[in-house]
């Protein structure tokens, strides 16, 4: 399709239509839509015929009907593009992105994204509003569940893996989707962890922590960018100069920018536009090409053009971006993009997808504590499974698209399948956030079994968009339940289900074993059973620190040094240090932490040289031995710049590799340290490398087992 020629044939109204997106509801029942939601938006039936894209539709049949009706009505015959939030699976749900990041396994993330793309594209989704790679460090914010955690390098790698998985062999293929990276920029720094709240972020914070992951996704060929809702450094992201200065000019991005839901409509409430017309002028002026779910462009672009406040070239440029996307997706040849009900049905929850979701749930789980209790022995006669999440199907997590709770395997079901129903005693104990009538029964169940699995957490509706918390402890009576159950049976392993790191110091104190399952998705219960009984060996490592209390938030591993560092040993505390009088400084579990049933011994780190010359590299070899059963270790390399012109992080992850070891196996893992890894943004916001000493550390944040130094000369 010659999109330039097509553009020439289009009327202004048709062009504006391409720059808008509305919910499928506006196209489902034309009568109701025109008198209902479309009327509310001030859109005429003629306007609806020109709309360029649709979000949130129910499946291939609806998508095809909308597309057919549209093509029959649109004189230019431009297909619509169908978009949706496919965040961690479509019908087969895999763990939430924060959990997936804990796998430290980009290939697994890519495979899961492919699986999502296969199901979603067969169902009519052509563009996915993912990955979300916002930098996060505050556990109160509900949307951290959608992120890859607090480390920008990890977030970028995981984001790029998602983009590549969605894309597959190319976005024109019937089993692929184009990725829309979001939310540009610094949405995750919403003050006080309150969604949609402003973020105030220094340029250093932006450059070092926020921007790299978006860039990594664009390098992996994400096709769209979505600015965030909130205002960043005083200006809402939809109209923030950053869009132009960084995205378009610095990075040379010439793809589609699509607003977030009603974000242009909200510019008036933000107090940066007097009215809808000014909102349209500002957003369009900042090259936000497509307006999602408000109608400022429809209402005002024509008038703005007539007044010379926007130009025809600007409109054409934006429309061309949209047309090029449609062309790349192959929509002019196949406006359904291969969507097919039968194919979709054969993919949903198929054996291959369930197996992958199970492996993902196993790899994403993090064994936080184990005093030798786990793994359990399969010879066990009776096991009690207790707690509000023991038989809970609602463990898919927020944004689980077309996933259904009833398809999800609970822990009780997983254990019953593994051991047989007669060996599993079940007692809910209490509700997740309410009544506690079952405490006595739970205690009795724990006493009647050789071991207990206590399933605690926060309901899935406590995280996700708009679901922030000021109290990140276990809700309701769950801590009391834990005290009673663990006292009744000391062989109790605690499983935690949550969309964020919870503050669980009281559980850490009394439980002999704790495993973080996050929201594990469709195969959660089977994965839990495998992990508890050693059929799977835990290999997840935390992508986000676990605070001891909400008062520590934000707590993150790569904080900069201070002139008065805290004392690791609380007994040494003498005041006037950067610490608290009522709480330790370090998180309960640091970034990178995670135990295994294997025993990995770090024997030696050797450097190819103790001098790094400009343009050169150092090879770092780390020898590791597995003293136990087969399992995987995440080998993590951190760096500290000893003295620089700006304060630098006390530890910074610069490379990692997930490595599988056979029982008793030995491996040498090699990393390359390059000059670029030493660089940082100096006071004048130039990216520089400065000569001097650097320390390399192996282990995980705050807990290193091997160290060495080199000099950059
Ligand atoms: C609002 C969310 O912020 C965004 O992430 C999502 O893609 C849109 N709604 C569309 O559902």
């Amino acid at each position: 399709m010659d999109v330039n020629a097509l553009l020439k044939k289009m009327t202004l109204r048709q062009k504006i239509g391409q720059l808008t997106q509305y919910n499928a509801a506006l196209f489902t029942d034309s009568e109701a839509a025109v008198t209902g939601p479309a009327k509310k938006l001030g859109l005429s039936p003629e306007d609806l015929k020109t709309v360029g894209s649709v979000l949130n539709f129910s499946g291939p049949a609806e998508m095809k009907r909308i597309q057919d009706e549209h093509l029959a009505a649109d004189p230019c015959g431009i297909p619509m593009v169908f978009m949706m939030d496919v965040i961690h699976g479509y019908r087969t749900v895999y763990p939430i992105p924060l959990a997936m990041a804990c796998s430290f396994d980009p290939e697994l993330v890519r495979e899961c994204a492919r699986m999502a793309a296969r199901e979603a594209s067969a169902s009519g989704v052509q563009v996915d509003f993912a990955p979300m790679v916002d930098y996060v460090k505050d556990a109160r914010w509900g949307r951290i569940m959608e992120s890859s955690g607090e480390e920008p390098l990890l977030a970028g790698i995981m984001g790029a893996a998602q983009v590549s998985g969605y894309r597959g062999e190319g976005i024109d293929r019937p089993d692929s989707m184009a990725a829309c990276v979001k939310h540009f920029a610094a949405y995750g720094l919403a003050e006080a962890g309150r969604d949609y709240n402003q973020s105030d972020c220094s340029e250093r914070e932006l450059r070092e922590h926020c921007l790299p992951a978006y860039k990594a996704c664009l390098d992996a060929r994400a096709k769209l960018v979505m600015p965030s809702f909130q205002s960043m450094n005083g200006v809402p992201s939809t109209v923030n100069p950053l869009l132009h200065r960084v995205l378009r000019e610095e990075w040379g991005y010439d793809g589609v920018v699509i607003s977030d839901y009603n974000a242009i409509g909200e510019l008036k409430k933000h107090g940066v536009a007097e009215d809808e017309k000014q909102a349209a002028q500002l957003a369009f002026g900042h090259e936000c090409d497509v307006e999602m779910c408000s109608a400022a462009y429809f209402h005002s672009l024509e008038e703005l053009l007539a007044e010379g406040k926007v130009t025809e070239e600007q409109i054409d440029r934006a429309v061309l971006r949209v047309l090029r996307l449609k062309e790349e997706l192959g929509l002019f040849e196949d406006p359904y993009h291969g969507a097919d009900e039968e194919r979709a049905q054969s993919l949903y929850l198929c054996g291959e997808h369930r197996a992958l979701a199970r492996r993902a749930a196993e790899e994403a789980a993090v064994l936080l504590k184990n005093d030798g209790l786990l793994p359990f022995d399969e010879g066990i006669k009776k096991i009690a499974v207790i707690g509000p999440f023991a038989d809970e199907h609602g463990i898919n997590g927020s944004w689980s698209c077309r996933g259904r709770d009833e398809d999800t395997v609970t822990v009780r079901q997983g254990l019953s399948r593994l051991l047989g129903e007669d060996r599993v005693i079940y007692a809910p104990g209490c509700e997740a956030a309410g009544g506690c009538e079952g405490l006595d029964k739970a205690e009795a169940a724990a006493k009647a079994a050789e071991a207990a699995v206590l399933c605690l957490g926060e309901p899935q509706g406590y995280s996700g968009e708009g679901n922030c918390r000021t109290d990140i402890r276990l809700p309701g009576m769950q801590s009391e339940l834990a005290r009673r159950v663990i006292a009744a049976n000391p062989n109790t392993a605690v499983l935690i289900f949550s969309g964020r790191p919870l503050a669980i110091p009281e559980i850490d104190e009394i439980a002999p074993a704790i495993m973080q399952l996050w929201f594990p998705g469709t195969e959660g219960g089977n994965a839990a059973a495998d992990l508890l009984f050693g059929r799977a060996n835990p290999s997840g490592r935390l992508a986000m620190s676990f605070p001891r209390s909400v008062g520590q938030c934000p707590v993150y591993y790569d904080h900069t040094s201070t002139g008065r560092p805290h004392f690791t040993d609380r007994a040494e505390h003498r005041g006037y240090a950067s610490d608290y009088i009522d709480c330790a400084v370090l998180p309960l579990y640091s970034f990178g932490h995670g135990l295994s049933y294997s025993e990995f011994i770090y024997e030696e780190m050797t450097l190819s040289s103790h001098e790094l010359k400009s343009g050169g590299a150092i090879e770092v070899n780390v020898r590791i031995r597995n003293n136990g059963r087969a399992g995987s270790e995440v080998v993590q390399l951190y760096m500290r710049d000893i003295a620089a012109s700006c304060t630098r992080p006390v530890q910074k992850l610069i490379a990692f590799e997930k490595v599988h070891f056979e029982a008793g196996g030995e491996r040498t893992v090699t990393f390359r340290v390059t000059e670029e890894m030493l660089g940082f943004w100096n006071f004048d916001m130039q990216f520089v490398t400065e000569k001097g000493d650097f320390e390399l550390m192996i282990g995980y944040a705050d807990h290193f087992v091997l160290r060495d130094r080199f000099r950059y000369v």
Side-chain angles (χ1 to χ4, degrees), residues 190-358:
E191 265 180 12
R194 176 158 55 82
D195 210 358
Y196 317 125
N197 197 14
Q198 70 156 351
S199 57
D200 204 353
C201 165
S202 70
E203 192 169 351
R204 167 163 300 102
E205 178 84 320
L206 248 185
R207 298 259 171 205
E208 288 195 354
H209 285 118
C210 303
L211 297 181
Y214 306 115
K215 178 71 167 58
C217 292
L218 291 177
D219 291 344
R221 290 185 283 175
K223 288 286 160 186
L224 298 91
V225 175
M226 184 188 291
S228 49
F229 279 125
Q230 98 291 14
S231 97
M232 200 277 294
N233 292 351
V235 183
S237 293
T238 318
V239 297
N240 197 297
L242 206 67
L243 280 177
H244 195 76
R245 284 188 207 156
V246 174
L247 190 64
R248 301 291 193 192
E249 298 221 308
E250 206 174 304
W251 295 351
Y253 174 71
D254 195 28
V256 173
V257 170
I258 180 166
S259 85
D260 204 340
Y261 200 105
N262 194 35
I264 298 181
E266 287 163 21
L267 290 173
K268 197 173 149 198
K269 281 203 193 138
H270 264 296
V272 296
E274 281 183 352
D275 51 25
E276 192 189 42
K277 185 172 163 189
Q278 197 186 5
Q281 184 187 344
L282 284 172
F284 198 68
H286 283 89
E287 292 189 68
C288 179
D289 306 302
V290 177
E291 173 173 25
M292 187 196 292
C293 291
S294 44
Y297 285 3
F298 257 131
H299 296 158
S300 312
L301 276 187
E302 258 173 318
E303 215 174 306
L304 289 167
L305 180 66
E307 291 168 9
K309 292 183 177 147
V310 307
T311 66
E312 196 149 2
E313 291 73 56
Q314 282 177 308
I315 293 181
D316 284 356
R317 186 174 52 192
V319 175
L320 264 181
R321 285 179 183 141
V322 174
L323 294 180
R324 266 195 247 117
L325 174 68
K326 293 183 178 186
E327 192 196 13
E328 268 196 73
L329 284 162
L331 295 182
F332 292 101
E333 285 76 43
D334 174 10
Y336 305 146
H337 200 257
D340 180 64
E341 181 73 49
E342 217 174 288
R343 190 160 61 88
Q345 291 299 339
S346 73
L347 289 167
Y348 294 162
L349 303 166
C350 66
E352 190 195 335
H353 288 189
R354 275 198 177 268
L356 180 59
R358 183 168 178 163

Side-chain angles (χ1 to χ4, degrees), residues 513-532:
I514 308 173
M515 183 134 41
Q516 175 71 25
L517 279 243
W518 306 103
F519 286 119
T522 309
E523 285 289 317
N526 283 330
D530 288 345
L531 287 158
L532 287 166

